[in-house]
Amino acid sequence: MEVIVLYDDLPSSIKGCIRGFGLSLFVQGGGFRILFDAGSSPDVLLNNARVAGVDLKSLDAVVVSHAHLDHTGGLRGLPARNVPVYVPYGQHRGLVSWLHSIGFENVVVVRDLQEVGGGAYVMAYPESTISEQSLLLESPGGLTMLVGCGHPGVHYMVGKAASRGFKVERVVGGLHLSDQPEYKVRGVVMELERLGVRELIPLHCSGGATLEYGRLLGLVREEPALCKTYSI
């Protein structure tokens, strides 16, 4: 199974990839193809997908982590409109109406845990002030959690997954720690390790301190980068 970073403000070694504020990850494996978030700009998303060799016309599902523009704006340019779009219960009504207005009719509101297919599950956190959901991916390399921003707290999200029988070994995405003091960042990263996370790929809003402490604990093994492909 592979995860490709299609949208982020990180640098890229691949010529033609355009940086932008937001997050989008493309997942493929076992014949199943999922777009997790879509960044903020349709033009940037489509450009980076083309450069990375990703065909966004043949998706099996779209998962929206939460309703913020830097995770949803790119959906306006998505060529596939007949795919199911999974959104988290909570502040979902405005998001559902907006998705309908731009041509997505098959919108699924996730209240708790829902199987998407191909060993993928969506887990919602409606109890959070900003409702969000993660994507859990089963693969031979261990269970991976994709996170949009981690508004509920990424350690809380991993802990809740564990309480439902999902032992997360890898976390990929935005951890919402870029504006947090170092002691809090250190505590969150250490808690992730305690919960059994053995690999961390911090993107988007994770911040430099997260990358630093992840390296110190041996959780960050590869440098995060735009248009990079990670085997999970």
Side-chain angles (χ1 to χ4, degrees), residues 9 16 21 26 70 87 106 111 143 153 161-162 187-188 195-196 211 229:
D9 57 2
F21 183 70
F26 174 75
D70 53 326
V87 303
N106 188 5
R111 292 174 177 263
L143 187 72
V188 169
L195 288 167
L211 190 60
T229 300

Side-chain angles (χ1 to χ4, degrees), residues 9 60 81 100 107 117 128 132 141 171 183 193:
D9 57 2
D60 294 292
R81 299 294 172 103
H100 286 165
V107 180
S128 174
E132 191 167 335
V171 176
Y183 76 88
E193 184 186 41

Side-chain angles (χ1 to χ4, degrees), residues 9-223:
D9 57 2
L10 291 169
S12 176
S13 61
I14 299 176
K15 184 178 180 180
C17 277
I18 301 173
R19 298 164 70 173
F21 183 70
L23 182 70
S24 181
L25 304 172
F26 174 75
V27 180
Q28 61 182 355
F32 212 75
R33 298 158 60 87
I34 303 172
L35 185 69
F36 179 80
D37 286 349
S40 52
S41 165
D43 293 339
V44 172
L45 176 66
L46 295 175
N47 172 83
N48 291 352
R50 177 183 57 79
V51 172
V54 172
D55 181 10
L56 294 178
K57 295 191 293 293
S58 57
L59 297 172
D60 294 292
V62 174
V63 176
V64 177
S65 66
H66 60 299
H68 289 176
L69 180 63
D70 53 326
H71 297 259
T72 61
L75 293 173
R76 291 172 293 169
L78 202 64
R81 299 294 172 103
N82 59 340
V83 296
V85 181
Y86 296 84
V87 303
Y89 180 81
Q91 297 96 22
H92 63 280
R93 291 181 178 83
L95 178 58
V96 171
S97 297
W98 179 73
L99 287 167
H100 286 165
S101 74
I102 61 172
F104 292 98
E105 294 300 328
N106 188 5
V107 180
V108 182
V109 178
V110 180
R111 292 174 177 263
D112 183 29
L113 178 69
Q114 184 156 342
E115 185 173 4
V116 177
Y121 301 81
V122 177
M123 177 170 282
Y125 308 85
E127 64 273 21
S128 174
T129 303
I130 298 176
S131 57
E132 191 167 335
Q133 62 187 10
S134 63
L135 180 62
L136 300 166
L137 304 168
E138 293 179 333
S139 71
L143 187 72
T144 298
M145 173 183 281
L146 303 191
V147 181
C149 265
H151 288 291
V154 64
H155 51 310
Y156 173 80
M157 298 169 81
V158 170
K160 181 175 178 178
S163 73
R164 302 294 298 273
F166 293 92
K167 186 180 184 302
V168 177
E169 298 184 50
R170 184 183 298 103
V171 176
V172 183
L175 309 185
H176 205 61
L177 293 171
S178 60
D179 60 348
Q180 297 299 314
E182 283 199 27
Y183 76 88
K184 183 171 183 178
V185 175
R186 182 174 64 250
V188 169
V189 175
M190 291 176 69
E191 178 65 6
L192 289 176
E193 184 186 41
R194 189 193 70 79
L195 288 167
V197 174
R198 56 183 178 81
E199 185 175 4
L200 189 60
I201 303 174
L203 304 167
H204 184 40
C205 55
S206 298
T210 303
L211 190 60
E212 177 184 347
Y213 284 113
R215 288 193 190 112
L216 286 173
L217 291 175
L219 300 180
V220 175
R221 304 172 187 176
E222 299 182 66
E223 287 300 304

